[in-house]
Amino acid sequence: MLRSGTSIGANAEEGIGGQSRADFFSKLAIAYKEARETAYWLRLLKDTDYLSEPEFESIYPEALELCRLLGSVQKTAKRDRTKEIRP
């Protein structure tokens, strides 16, 4: 969980500093996948009683929100990537 959780921010940061739109999109796609993996680990930790229900409920909604946010950014980036760039 530590690996996937910290990878989200690292990939988002790399995407922001990307060399191209394609690089930006690629890094955000990785960040999205890592966010989904982190949400999975949180569910697993709750189901195996490593996290209590209150602990889980305090962080899982934020993990889902991060997935939704990154998914939305991906959709926007994909849509904008197909637009023509005009001077």
Side-chain angles (χ1 to χ4, degrees):
M1 177 150 132
L2 180 62
R3 185 196 57 77
S4 64
T6 56
S7 179
I8 300 165
N11 279 290
E13 189 66 27
E14 273 192 58
I16 291 167
Q19 297 175 351
S20 65
R21 283 185 178 192
D23 192 28
F24 172 77
F25 183 76
S26 174
K27 296 301 181 188
L28 281 192
I30 294 168
Y32 174 75
K33 290 178 183 181
E34 296 293 344
R36 300 251 337 180
E37 181 181 341
T38 300
Y40 163 79
W41 287 119
L42 288 170
R43 290 190 309 272
L44 186 67
L45 289 170
K46 179 187 72 82
D47 291 347
T48 56
D49 295 325
Y50 281 94
L51 283 178
S52 68
E53 189 69 32
E55 290 171 324
F56 176 78
E57 289 301 327
S58 75
I59 55 177
Y60 188 69
E62 292 180 13
L64 292 181
E65 182 63 25
L66 187 55
C67 289
R68 284 190 289 272
L69 176 67
L70 288 168
S72 178
V73 170
Q74 268 189 297
K75 286 178 187 176
T76 301
K78 185 181 276 188
R79 184 186 68 229
D80 290 350
R81 187 169 62 168
T82 61
K83 289 182 179 178
E84 235 180 89
I85 299 174
R86 296 191 174 134

